[in-house]
Amino acid sequence: MYLAAAVRLSEIANHRLDKLHASASRKALWSVGPEDYWFGDFSEIKIDKVRRTFRGITRHLSSPRLKVICDADRPSYGAAHPAIGKIILGRLWYAPNLGRDDAAERVQTFVHEASHICGSVSADEKNTYGRQAAHELTRWRMRATRNADNYGYYALDVLECPSPRLLA
């Protein structure tokens, strides 16, 4: 159920990013949507990287070769093994104890781990977990595009940010 929701969210993100990229006013649209909030100021390089990563996220999450392993002994939300296309879900994924956002965090974990499979790696990721810490990375040029949480939370927020001009 959560994996299917993550696939759907990544497809919606892909659709949004494709429409945004095709728009003549993409810079203006980027700055009023969740793109600016999660990835910072617009640049052609940035939109290309985010689009490419989301295409990979969708491809990996929907691949029949993806292995999802549940390991209650692992004291984390999850981990990715890019070389073999495996996501391991840990103890915190089963019981995140985050209140009303438990389901969203579980879905976000799939997008987060799939972005690792696509190569999104931040050297100090342990210091940038969560919405606020991930958002703060937008102050640096491309850093937010290397952080997995930025992709996960962006995917969740795309649903909450309708843009009739963009998605029409």
Side-chain angles (χ1 to χ4, degrees):
M1 173 173 86
Y2 297 113
L3 175 57
V7 169
R8 184 66 186 130
L9 282 179
S10 67
E11 290 171 342
I12 291 168
N14 278 312
H15 178 71
R16 180 181 176 91
L17 290 163
D18 287 345
K19 290 283 191 178
L20 190 144
H21 187 264
S23 172
S25 55
R26 62 179 163 256
K27 183 175 181 179
L29 291 170
W30 176 281
S31 67
V32 297
E35 296 79 18
D36 182 70
Y37 187 82
W38 288 113
F39 301 108
D41 294 337
F42 176 84
S43 77
E44 293 292 336
I45 293 170
K46 196 175 288 183
I47 191 172
D48 288 341
K49 179 168 188 198
V50 172
R51 283 179 70 219
R52 200 171 43 251
T53 301
F54 263 105
R55 284 187 186 131
I57 288 169
T58 303
R59 186 177 63 253
H60 290 295
L61 289 177
S62 59
S63 171
R65 293 178 28 196
L66 176 69
K67 291 179 178 57
V68 178
I69 308 293
C70 300
D71 182 358
D73 292 331
R74 183 182 268 301
S76 64
Y77 280 95
H81 295 276
I84 56 176
K86 179 166 56 172
I87 294 174
I88 300 173
L89 302 172
R91 183 178 332 138
L92 292 177
W93 189 86
Y94 290 104
N97 196 21
L98 297 171
R100 67 174 184 82
D101 288 337
D102 284 356
E105 283 298 321
R106 287 184 176 112
V107 172
Q108 190 274 148
T109 299
F110 278 106
V111 176
H112 172 116
E113 299 305 339
S115 75
H116 283 315
I117 293 172
C118 294
S120 293
V121 179
S122 178
D124 65 345
E125 182 171 275
K126 291 178 181 163
N127 300 320
T128 56
Y129 285 130
R131 284 183 170 270
Q132 184 61 38
H135 171 66
E136 289 176 12
L137 293 176
T138 61
R139 291 184 279 170
W140 294 280
R141 291 180 48 129
M142 294 292 287
R143 197 148 172 218
T145 67
R146 294 189 302 268
N147 189 54
D149 260 8
N150 290 69
Y151 289 96
Y153 290 121
Y154 171 81
L156 292 176
D157 287 357
V158 160
L159 286 181
E160 296 177 14
C161 186
S163 180
R165 277 191 338 191
L166 182 60
L167 298 176

